[in-house]
Amino acid sequence: MQKLGFEDARYYYPSGTEKPYSYQSSAVINNTASTSRYYEEDQPYVEISLDIHDNYVSVYGLESPDHTGAGSLLRQGPSGRRSNSGLKHIASSVSTKLKRVASSVSSSSSARKPPRPPLAKFRRSKSRAEQALKGLKFITKTDGVAGWPGVEKRFHEITENSYGLLHRSRFGECIGINSKDFALALFDALRRRENVNLDSINKKQLQEFWKQITDQDFDSRLRLFFAMVDRDADGKLNEEEVKEIISLSASANDLENIRRQADEYAALIMETLDPYHYGYIMIDNLEVLLLQAPMEEIRDGETKILSKMLSHNLRISQSRNLGERVYRGVKYIVLDNWKRVWIMALWTGVMAGLFTWKFIQYKNRSAYQVMGVCVCAAKGAAETLKLNMALVLLPVCRNTITWLRTRTMLGAVVPFDDSLNFHKVIAIGISIGVLIHATSHLACDFPRLIAANEEAYEPMVKYFGVQTKRYMDFVQSVEGVTGIAMVILMTIAFTLATPWFRRNKLKLPGPLKKITGFNAFWYSHHLFVIVYSLLVVHGYYVYLIKEWSKKTTWMYLMVPVVLYLSERLIRAFRSGIEAVSILKVAVLPGNVLSLQMSRPSNFRYKSGQYMYLNCSEVSSLEWHPFSITSAPGDEYLSVHIRVLGDWTKQLRQLFSEVCKPRLPDENTQNRADPRLLNNIPNFPRILIDGPYGAPAQDYKNFEVVLLVGLGIGATPMISIVKDIINNIKGNGDIEEGRNSNRRQSPIRNMATPPLSPARRSETFRTKRAYFYWVTREQGSFDWFKNVMDEVALTDRNKVIELHNYCTSVYEEGDARSALITMLQSLNHAKHGVDVVSGTRVMSHFAKPNWRSVYKKVAVKHPKTKVGVFYCGAAGLVKELRHLALDFSHNTSTKFCFHKENF
């Protein structure tokens, strides 16, 4: 220890803190000088800790021998501190001797360990830093002014039976932090700062805690965050503390993979921020790392101007003229939905025409004199029922729809994407027709026939025979029995087809729950085989018609029924010709089963299409649709099946049992490996039927596409991404399974299907693709990890822009995700791998700002037609469609929205 005396020295310490976050030195200066100039009584000497560098010396802290003098001074408030002039005088008086201390000990200090280089000052005025300074918030959706009343209310509710004391375990619940471990760590940090020794706090203490949590000053938030990590309050973070906060942040964000690798990531942070192996890092390092976290790239001047102009155009001025607003609204609806409009107008017109025709026809017949307007309504509704029962089959003729949308130009005027919606609309029309027809007969026509006098009934004898006075005679007739049976069967089928029953959204008792779900929907829909048989019989024994040529029910049904039956026969024949072989099975995180199958020689498809799968060991009758995740240029077929219902659960269990020795790791990637075919187990027999058309298959009609996948809805988009990558590799020669240089498959010597001259003339128009994949679970990224990495390595021209969003991670700027953001930046810079997704593609946190996404595409591609393709839950459809219309009407970029729900 080196002791130096200063005649004019006084207590010199850094303002604001007792132990500043810098590096402790090996030199101690003992001050034994007189203090009569500033104090009336002498004080004992003070030990001054210095941080000695090559070219400067900084004061670390002070300590008096009795541990009271300097320490008490350092803890004094503003009234106990010396004036700035006094401090300057003291600093100047000791400056010379401090330099001598530095020169005398710097050589020995540097010999023991290399000095820590000074941190570069980060300019907070820069745009990236300004953005970062808004982060590190503990409460991201509530500020201190508006949020305290809600916290106060919850405090009173929680502490009602605890005498006004809030226990540590319920702190997170009170302030609105869901992560319990993170809330406990935050409570402990605040408790240490406020010198609270108990595990419970009162309302006043909670309010002080809340003020610190919601402090808008970045430096204050940084110190609080550092205090959370610095459990022993020594101003330093060692590797164990870094590991602990990584585990805490990972748990708060449901990132199990990061939590398991906390040791590795803690070592990475220490290696980066502590290159000289001091064994700790300081708050300075943490600040620089936070401020240098990757932000969205800074746009150039031209892009900023375009963005401002676009924002101005999007501010639509509302006209005060009501008529103008209505006209503009109707105009946009017609322009955006003209295909649907003319189809619905045609269908409605035909229904109205048929009803009116039959109504007028029976109004001029003798039956009108007995049954009145009821018979006219019944016969008019019956005529619409005949046509609707025929039309309802057409949207489910999948082969025909696929052929029409792929091989003809009808897709330009017919909305084939809405075939299922049209099927539902027709079903509603059938329900209305049945209601009118059945009610008119049962509640009006039959009672009038019974009540009619003999003279009035005379014209009805040739149709109904001798007049009866029993109501049940009508009900028990062939017409009555077949009609009532059809109503019952259709009611069952329609009810179980509603989303509440088909998706098990209703909370029903156990026995009733077993007769709902997709299986109930599937089997109940096959009741229509009986319904159509009864309909033919009912039409043959129809009331008031005797001539067979006027019994037109069979005429309406003949063509659609034959077409539908032919489709079912073709599907059964096609799927049974060549059963596929299972090449690879993987049980992936998130309850997803990946199947990789051999590709039949005649199976040609487009990216975005889907096919049906059947497994006889689960159910020989059930066929379930799944999007094809392989690309047309691949030598195999692959699907990714999310386990949701009974059928998928049984399928997963079946494959898991067969493959148990071969599937030790749930993260096994779905790559076909023909080398494993020699000792492959006896997989269940899988039949496929398809491919069938889907909205996403039209992506090649657009030069720019915006692909959005929600969870497992990414499956058709993955096929498109792979197809674009294959096109990049093959210079546009890959499409529908063709590649001039494509090698033969090692599986069954499968060769590429021959290419017709018409197919050779097709061009690959897509030049730019934006893929946004939003999922909640971190493990979901393992489903298509190989595809993401392939895009990152292959797409050198940046044709495809990938954006992965993990919604379980709190939004960027939240303190709970701050360390994840820092870790993500460090790991990607060193290893090129994202810590969240495990791919080469950097992940984003929370949900995307879809308006910003559309705006970005519109700015980059003015005067361009952009195809927007979405697959996922129905909840996001409304927002995406609205934004597509909004930007199409108010910018030069036209967004064409297509959706596929599951």
Side-chain angles (χ1 to χ4, degrees):
M1 179 181 295
Q2 182 176 0
K3 299 182 179 180
L4 298 177
F6 302 100
E7 295 180 357
D8 297 324
R10 295 296 180 266
Y11 302 114
Y12 172 64
Y13 51 89
S15 61
T17 179
E18 179 178 352
K19 291 185 176 182
Y21 297 115
S22 64
Y23 314 117
Q24 191 168 0
S25 72
S26 58
V28 179
I29 301 174
N30 293 336
N31 180 7
T32 58
S34 172
T35 59
S36 59
R37 185 175 303 178
Y38 293 92
Y39 297 95
E40 294 181 357
E41 59 182 8
D42 294 338
Q43 298 290 338
Y45 69 87
V46 176
E47 294 181 354
I48 306 177
S49 300
L50 302 178
D51 185 10
I52 302 175
H53 298 271
D54 290 338
N55 56 354
Y56 68 94
V57 176
S58 59
V59 179
Y60 179 78
L62 305 178
E63 185 177 2
S64 64
D66 59 2
H67 302 287
T68 57
S72 61
L73 284 174
L74 294 175
R75 287 189 290 269
Q76 285 181 3
S79 61
R81 295 178 183 172
R82 304 298 99 201
S83 63
N84 290 337
S85 60
L87 290 177
K88 290 180 181 178
H89 179 76
I90 295 172
S92 61
S93 65
V94 301
S95 174
T96 304
K97 294 195 175 184
L98 286 178
K99 290 180 180 179
R100 288 204 299 267
V101 173
S103 61
S104 63
V105 299
S106 60
S107 57
S108 61
S109 175
S110 60
R112 288 192 303 271
K113 187 168 288 189
R116 233 185 232 275
L119 292 171
K121 295 297 181 181
F122 196 87
R123 292 180 60 190
R124 293 188 176 185
S125 59
K126 292 184 178 180
S127 56
R128 282 174 52 161
E130 289 174 353
Q131 184 68 23
L133 290 173
K134 299 176 183 177
L136 205 61
K137 295 182 179 179
F138 297 90
I139 304 293
T140 55
K141 295 184 178 179
T142 313
D143 58 42
V145 177
W148 171 249
V151 173
E152 186 179 23
K153 180 180 178 181
R154 285 193 294 269
F155 174 83
H156 291 304
E157 294 173 355
I158 295 173
T159 61
E160 184 177 0
N161 300 320
S162 58
Y163 305 101
L165 293 177
L166 178 67
H167 192 265
R168 173 175 176 269
S169 61
R170 305 195 70 178
F171 177 68
E173 178 187 351
C174 184
I175 66 174
I177 295 181
N178 297 326
S179 175
K180 185 175 181 180
D181 292 338
F182 190 90
L184 292 176
L186 180 60
F187 180 90
D188 292 340
L190 292 166
R191 183 173 60 175
R192 287 194 299 269
R193 297 182 74 179
E194 295 298 317
N195 296 321
V196 177
N197 298 320
L198 301 178
D199 286 339
S200 298
I201 57 175
N202 55 35
K203 180 180 174 181
K204 184 178 180 180
Q205 291 170 323
L206 175 63
Q207 188 171 14
E208 182 60 33
F209 282 13
W210 179 256
K211 288 179 181 179
Q212 295 187 45
I213 292 172
T214 57
D215 196 325
Q216 299 301 308
D217 179 60
F218 174 78
D219 293 310
S220 175
R221 298 196 302 269
L222 177 64
R223 288 192 295 271
L224 178 56
F225 183 76
F226 191 86
M228 286 181 60
V229 188
D230 185 18
R231 296 297 181 92
D232 55 6
D234 63 349
K236 308 171 187 175
L237 298 184
N238 57 40
E239 187 168 340
E240 190 62 30
E241 289 174 323
V242 173
K243 174 188 171 183
E244 187 176 350
I245 194 62
I246 289 176
S247 300
L248 187 65
S249 299
S251 299
N253 293 279
D254 295 331
L255 300 175
E256 184 62 24
N257 293 346
I258 293 181
R259 191 187 65 80
R260 288 198 298 262
Q261 297 177 269
D263 289 332
E264 175 186 341
Y265 292 137
L268 173 63
I269 291 178
M270 296 301 295
E271 177 185 349
T272 305
L273 301 183
D274 183 27
Y276 296 103
H277 308 292
Y278 280 85
Y280 60 87
I281 60 176
M282 310 299 291
I283 194 172
D284 312 52
N285 309 98
L286 200 63
E287 178 185 6
V288 172
L289 192 59
L290 277 169
L291 297 182
Q292 289 181 339
M295 295 290 164
E296 187 177 356
E297 60 181 355
I298 306 301
R299 296 175 295 192
D300 56 26
E302 183 179 355
T303 305
K304 287 183 177 180
I305 295 174
L306 289 174
S307 179
K308 289 180 179 179
M309 293 175 60
L310 188 60
S311 300
H312 177 73
N313 292 336
L314 289 173
R315 300 190 189 101
I316 307 172
S317 58
Q318 293 290 337
S319 174
R320 296 182 179 180
N321 190 323
L322 178 61
E324 183 179 347
R325 292 203 305 269
V326 172
Y327 168 77
R328 184 170 56 189
V330 173
K331 174 185 174 183
Y332 286 154
I333 290 175
V334 173
L335 289 176
D336 296 326
N337 302 277
W338 66 270
K339 292 182 183 180
R340 301 183 184 94
V341 168
W342 85 262
I343 289 290
M344 288 302 300
L346 177 63
W347 177 74
T348 304
V350 171
M351 293 300 107
L354 288 175
F355 185 89
T356 304
W357 170 48
K358 281 298 177 180
F359 191 95
I360 295 175
Q361 186 183 73
Y362 275 84
K363 190 175 182 180
N364 297 324
R365 295 182 59 174
S366 57
Y368 180 78
Q369 305 302 323
V370 179
M371 292 177 278
V373 73
C374 296
V375 69
C376 300
K379 289 299 180 180
E383 202 67 20
T384 64
L385 275 172
K386 295 175 188 177
L387 181 58
N388 281 332
M389 289 296 288
L391 292 177
V392 77
L393 294 174
L394 296 181
V396 293
C397 292
R398 290 186 286 268
N399 285 301
T400 302
I401 296 295
T402 301
W403 184 85
L404 289 174
R405 72 184 300 162
T406 306
R407 308 297 177 120
T408 69
M409 299 298 293
L410 286 177
V413 293
V414 178
F416 289 116
D417 292 349
D418 294 314
S419 58
L420 185 59
N421 291 331
F422 189 53
H423 176 78
K424 296 176 182 178
V425 169
I426 297 173
I428 294 174
I430 291 173
S431 302
I432 296 174
V434 167
L435 180 64
I436 296 175
H437 181 76
T439 303
S440 298
H441 277 323
L442 295 175
C444 184
D445 290 340
F446 295 166
R448 287 196 176 194
L449 287 171
I450 294 172
N453 56 44
E454 186 176 346
E455 181 181 356
Y457 185 80
E458 182 64 27
M460 300 294 100
V461 173
K462 61 180 179 179
Y463 300 116
F464 298 99
V466 179
Q467 185 179 16
T468 179
K469 297 298 182 180
R470 294 180 65 250
Y471 184 83
M472 292 303 297
D473 288 341
F474 291 102
V475 176
Q476 293 172 353
S477 63
V478 175
E479 299 92 330
V481 170
T482 55
I484 293 174
M486 284 190 293
V487 171
I488 294 174
L489 294 177
M490 283 193 288
T491 301
I492 294 173
F494 287 177
T495 301
L496 295 179
T498 57
W500 300 284
F501 290 93
R502 182 164 56 92
R503 297 182 180 272
N504 285 322
K505 292 183 177 181
L506 296 179
K507 295 182 180 180
L508 299 173
L512 293 179
K513 196 172 184 65
K514 293 181 179 179
I515 61 174
T516 61
F518 184 84
N519 289 342
F521 156 75
W522 175 263
Y523 289 115
S524 65
H525 251 55
H526 286 77
L527 293 174
F528 275 90
V529 175
I530 303 174
V531 170
Y532 276 96
S533 301
L534 293 174
L535 181 60
V536 173
V537 175
H538 186 81
Y540 180 79
Y541 290 96
V542 65
Y543 291 131
L544 302 176
I545 298 177
K546 293 299 181 181
E547 299 86 351
W548 72 270
S549 59
K550 295 183 179 180
K551 299 178 180 181
T552 58
T553 302
W554 65 274
M555 299 180 187
Y556 280 100
L557 299 179
M558 182 174 63
V559 174
V561 168
V562 170
L563 180 62
Y564 180 76
L565 292 177
S566 301
E567 283 228 355
R568 295 302 295 260
L569 290 174
I570 291 173
R571 288 166 56 186
F573 179 73
R574 180 175 58 189
S575 61
I577 290 179
E578 184 178 3
V580 295
S581 300
I582 302 298
L583 306 180
K584 185 73 176 286
V585 178
V587 180
L588 300 172
N591 261 340
V592 170
L593 176 67
S594 171
L595 297 181
Q596 201 171 98
M597 301 160 282
S598 62
R599 177 176 172 177
S601 57
N602 62 340
F603 194 94
R604 293 194 181 95
Y605 66 98
K606 293 184 177 183
S607 291
Q609 292 184 333
Y610 66 96
M611 63 182 179
Y612 278 80
L613 264 63
N614 171 273
C615 181
S616 57
E617 296 187 33
V618 177
S619 173
S620 59
L621 298 178
E622 293 185 40
W623 291 79
H624 293 266
F626 299 100
S627 297
I628 304 173
T629 53
S630 55
D634 294 335
E635 299 165 342
Y636 56 87
L637 295 174
S638 66
V639 293
H640 287 69
I641 302 171
R642 184 71 181 266
V643 179
L644 293 174
D646 296 336
W647 189 86
T648 52
K649 287 180 181 177
Q650 294 178 36
L651 185 71
R652 180 190 185 279
Q653 184 179 2
L654 192 62
F655 275 98
S656 297
E657 291 176 357
V658 174
C659 307
K660 196 170 185 179
R662 305 177 64 86
L663 292 175
D665 183 8
E666 286 195 349
N667 294 323
T668 303
Q669 294 300 311
N670 55 336
R671 295 184 183 273
D673 191 351
R675 294 173 297 179
L676 301 178
L677 295 179
N678 294 329
N679 57 352
I680 198 167
N682 293 323
F683 286 116
R685 187 169 184 263
I686 294 292
L687 299 178
I688 64 172
D689 174 39
Y692 292 108
Q697 75 175 55
D698 297 328
Y699 78 97
K700 287 184 302 177
N701 297 333
F702 303 91
E703 292 186 359
V704 180
V705 294
L706 174 59
L707 311 174
V708 180
L710 199 63
I712 197 64
T715 48
M717 311 308 168
I718 289 295
S719 179
I720 293 174
V721 169
K722 293 173 70 175
D723 195 26
I724 295 175
I725 287 296
N726 288 344
N727 178 72
I728 294 173
K729 292 179 179 179
N731 296 323
D733 194 31
I734 296 178
E735 165 58 21
E736 293 191 0
R738 65 181 184 272
N739 187 344
S740 58
N741 298 321
R742 182 177 172 184
R743 65 185 185 279
Q744 279 196 331
S745 170
I747 297 99
R748 297 191 178 188
N749 295 322
M750 183 186 70
T752 302
L755 192 62
S756 65
R759 294 283 178 247
R760 295 183 188 275
S761 62
E762 292 183 352
T763 58
F764 202 96
R765 296 183 57 188
T766 305
K767 298 178 181 178
R768 184 72 164 158
Y770 300 88
F771 177 37
Y772 285 79
W773 183 18
V774 184
T775 182
R776 173 164 180 77
E777 301 173 352
Q778 181 188 14
S780 303
F781 294 114
D782 288 342
W783 304 345
F784 309 114
K785 180 179 178 180
N786 54 341
V787 179
M788 300 293 173
D789 289 338
E790 186 177 7
V791 172
L793 293 173
T794 306
D795 187 17
R796 297 180 181 178
N797 295 326
K798 304 300 180 184
V799 175
I800 304 174
E801 191 173 297
L802 301 177
H803 297 271
N804 296 334
Y805 280 81
C806 186
T807 59
S808 69
V809 184
Y810 288 93
E811 62 188 10
E812 295 176 5
D814 194 301
R816 286 161 287 189
S817 62
L819 198 69
I820 303 299
T821 304
M822 293 187 290
L823 186 60
Q824 183 186 44
S825 177
L826 289 177
N827 196 71
H828 197 275
K830 182 172 182 179
H831 303 294
V833 177
D834 180 59
V835 295
V836 177
S837 66
T839 69
R840 296 180 180 274
V841 181
M842 289 280 282
S843 299
H844 304 276
F845 303 154
K847 298 178 181 179
N849 184 332
W850 293 113
R851 176 166 287 275
S852 297
V853 171
Y854 274 86
K855 183 177 179 180
K856 173 183 175 182
V857 176
V859 168
K860 288 188 175 182
H861 304 281
K863 300 180 181 179
T864 305
K865 195 174 182 180
V866 179
V868 182
F869 298 91
Y870 169 73
C871 183
L876 192 56
V877 171
K878 183 178 180 180
E879 180 181 0
L880 293 179
R881 176 184 283 125
H882 173 75
L883 288 172
L885 298 178
D886 190 15
F887 278 83
S888 295
H889 297 156
N890 298 287
T891 69
S892 62
T893 306
K894 303 304 176 186
F895 292 87
C896 302
F897 181 75
H898 308 77
K899 58 94 176 176
E900 183 179 355
N901 300 131
F902 53 79

